[in-house]
Amino acid sequence: MHEYSVVSSLMDLCETHAKKHNATKIEKVVVSIGERCGMDKQLFMSAFETFKEELDICKEAVLDIVDEKVELECLDCKKTCTPPNLEYGVCTHCGSQSVRLIKGTQMQLLSLEMV
Ligand SMILES: [Zn+2]
């Protein structure tokens, strides 16, 4: 499953960070999940629970998920906007349809609390 591979690489990232800071334990992992990244939050959480058991340093870690709203950038008026509904294809400033998603499509590691 998609969620499992994402969480797996997230764990690698956590471990790398922990090693770099000589931490012995990760207490909290904060990630943001984009509205449109196609990830199931429940699955993501259960994948996290599974993986953290395999990693000594993460065993007691708590997962905190922040929702990331979709944000669009208009290629015509160069402004950014947050679509008010599920209409992701139109600029709310000028009505142009030349927009691209700049936020809300990814999972990102925001912060780690370690000791
Ligand atoms: Zn526009």
Side-chain angles (χ1 to χ4, degrees):
M1 263 173 293
H2 180 51
E3 284 79 2
Y4 275 75
S5 60
V6 172
V7 173
S8 168
S9 48
L10 173 68
M11 288 315 207
D12 288 344
L13 200 59
C14 290
E15 202 180 9
T16 309
H17 279 293
K19 273 185 187 148
K20 210 160 67 183
H21 293 95
N22 293 317
T24 51
K25 201 167 79 174
I26 293 172
E27 293 185 318
K28 195 174 179 184
V29 180
V30 186
V31 296
S32 72
I33 294 185
E35 271 182 331
R36 292 277 283 182
C37 75
M39 211 124 46
D40 184 305
K41 235 193 287 181
Q42 288 306 118
L43 266 180
F44 189 87
M45 273 152 52
S46 66
F48 182 83
E49 295 300 315
T50 306
F51 278 104
K52 78 177 196 181
E53 292 299 324
E54 290 169 14
L55 205 63
D56 272 346
I57 207 164
C58 277
K59 272 206 166 70
E60 289 160 50
V62 176
L63 177 66
D64 198 0
I65 296 178
V66 178
D67 291 305
E68 187 185 71
K69 289 270 166 211
V70 164
E71 204 172 296
L72 301 175
E73 184 188 51
C74 177
L75 302 179
D76 287 328
C77 71
K78 309 293 180 207
K79 288 179 187 163
T80 58
C81 63
T82 309
N85 43 41
L86 291 175
E87 194 65 58
Y88 294 126
V90 181
C91 169
T92 57
H93 301 286
C94 71
S96 165
Q97 292 188 358
S98 307
V99 291
R100 65 187 181 100
L101 281 168
I102 52 169
K103 268 190 188 173
T105 57
Q106 283 173 332
M107 189 282 298
Q108 267 183 311
L109 177 61
L110 294 183
S111 69
L112 282 177
E113 281 175 29
M114 342 178 240
V115 286

